[in-house]
Amino acid sequence: MAKIGNIDLGEFPLLLAPMEDVSDPPFRLVCKENGADMMYTEFISSEGLIRNAAKSVQKLDIFEYERPIGIQLFGSDVETMGECSRIATEARPDLIDINYGCPVKNVACRGAGAALLQDIPKMAEMTASVVKNTHLPVTVKTRLGWNDETKNIEEVAERLQDVGIQALTVHGRTRAQMYKGEADWTLIAKIKENPRIKIPIFGNGDIDSPEKALDYRNRFGVDGIMIGRAAIGYPWIFNEIKHYFATGEKLAPPSIAQRVDAARKHLEFSIKWKNDRQGILEMRRHYSNYFKGLPNFKEYRMRLVLSLDFQEILSILDEVSVAYEGFILEKQQIKVEYAGVD
C-alpha cells in the first residue's frame, strides 16, 4: 500500500508525470477518467510565481475531481523556493513536488531542475526550505545523476528523506541522456533495497505498455509507476495497465469513437479553462497524438488545426468518427516525441 503522508494511493498507483505544455487541466481530465491515480501540474517556475507572472499563476489551477494532485515547483534559489512553497500551498493541492529532474537548457543551465544533482548540499537545503514552508507532504522527482560519472541517486534519496520528503520519483536516465537511450531502473531498485529508505519510491521512464509495467514492477520492486510520454494522445494506458495487472489479459485498444470522444472532451475543457480562441489554439498540438497512425489522416489534421470555430471542429471530429469506423489503431503504432519534462 503506497501512502504519501495521509494520502492513500492504493496498492500500486499509476502516476501521471508533470509535463510542460502537456499536463494542463484538460489533459489531466482525460487521464483521470482513464485511470490515473495521482497527477501533477505542469512544472511552475518559483521566480515566475513570486513575480505573479500570469502563466505561472494559471498553472496553479486545480479542480476537485483531480485529487489527489500535486503542484510541482522548480527554481534555483533556496529562499525563493521556500516562499513559492507557501504560495502554492494556498492553492490547496494535496502535496508539493519539487522538480530536480528537468534536463532542458533553459531550466538546467539556470541552476534549476536537474542542475541541482551537481550540488547535493544545496538540493538538501532547498528541499528543507520547501518542507518548512508548507504543512503539505513534499515529494521530489529527479534523475539518476547529472551524467554517467555522477550517478548519485542513492545518496540523494537518503539526504532528501532525512530533510523530510515523503516520496521520491526517479526517472531512470541521467541529465546528459535527456530522453535518449533506454531508461535504467537498476539504481531505482537499489534505493528500494536500502533498509534506510522508508518512503515510497516510484519509477519513471520508458513504460509504454501493460507488459512492461508488470515486468518492471516485478523486477525492480517499486511502489508505483509514473507515466509521461506514453500517455500523450493515449490516456487509456492507465486502465490498460490496471486491467492487465488484475487479469493478465490485454484490453482491446480504444475505438476511433473513443478517441474522438477523448479529443472532444479535451477540447471542450480547454475552451472552458482558457477561452474559445486560446483553448482551440492550444488543442492543436494534440490532434496528431490522438490519431497518429490513421491512414490518410493529413487532410483531417490540417482542417482541425486551421479551424478557429468550435462547432466546425466538432463536425470534423464527427467526420473522423464516421470515416474510420471499425478501424483498429494499435497502441504500438503511436510514438510520441517529447522535449519537455518526463
Side-chain angles (χ1 to χ4, degrees), residues 110-124:
R110 294 179 182 176
L116 274 301
L117 286 163
Q118 299 176 101
D119 191 344
I120 297 178
K122 182 178 179 181
M123 180 192 282

Side-chain angles (χ1 to χ4, degrees), residues 17 24 46 52 60 148 186 215 226 228 269 287 295 305:
D24 60 8
S46 57
N52 206 32
L60 291 174
D148 283 343
T186 55
D215 178 38
M226 180 178 281
F269 200 131
Y287 295 122
V305 301

Side-chain angles (χ1 to χ4, degrees), residues 322-337:
V322 171
Y324 293 94
E325 184 178 5
F327 188 90
I328 301 299
L329 185 58
E330 294 291 345
K331 171 67 174 72
Q332 60 263 31
Q333 290 178 270
I334 297 175
K335 178 68 175 177
V336 176
E337 296 299 328

Side-chain angles (χ1 to χ4, degrees), residues 97 139-142 153 156-158 160 165-170 191 197 199-203:
D97 188 76
T139 63
V140 162
K141 182 167 190 281
T142 188
I153 187 59
V156 166
E158 290 191 3
L160 297 188
I165 71 165
Q166 299 193 42
L168 175 67
T169 300
V170 181
I191 298 169
I197 298 297
I199 59 175
I201 303 297
F202 304 121

Side-chain angles (χ1 to χ4, degrees), residues 246-261:
T247 68
E249 299 176 355
K250 293 187 68 174
L251 282 173
S255 66
I256 300 304
Q258 288 173 301
R259 291 175 180 275
V260 167
D261 184 57

Side-chain angles (χ1 to χ4, degrees), residues 78-199:
V78 172
E79 290 186 9
T80 302
M81 280 289 283
E83 177 61 25
C84 188
S85 176
R86 281 200 292 270
I87 296 171
T89 300
E90 292 173 2
R92 298 182 59 249
D94 297 286
L95 59 83
I96 303 293
D97 188 76
I98 310 174
N99 181 325
Y100 292 139
C102 182
V104 299
K105 284 186 178 180
N106 65 353
V107 174
C109 292
R110 294 179 182 176
L116 274 301
L117 286 163
Q118 299 176 101
D119 191 344
I120 297 178
K122 182 178 179 181
M123 180 192 282
E125 183 185 6
M126 183 178 290
T127 305
S129 177
V130 171
V131 171
K132 179 182 176 182
N133 282 283
T134 183
H135 67 277
L136 298 170
V138 174
T139 63
V140 162
K141 182 167 190 281
T142 188
R143 289 184 169 230
L144 300 178
W146 182 254
N147 55 32
D148 283 343
E149 289 69 47
T150 58
K151 290 183 179 179
N152 50 15
I153 187 59
E154 292 178 83
E155 178 187 355
V156 166
E158 290 191 3
R159 293 286 295 273
L160 297 188
Q161 179 181 259
D162 289 347
V163 297
I165 71 165
Q166 299 193 42
L168 175 67
T169 300
V170 181
H171 182 115
R173 291 182 174 88
T174 63
R175 188 270 173 179
Q177 282 182 272
M178 300 294 286
Y179 297 94
K180 298 175 181 176
E182 186 175 349
D184 179 5
W185 285 47
T186 55
L187 289 181
I188 305 176
K190 286 187 177 181
I191 298 169
K192 275 300 300 175
E193 293 165 2
N194 183 346
R196 277 204 62 208
I197 298 297
K198 308 299 182 185
I199 59 175

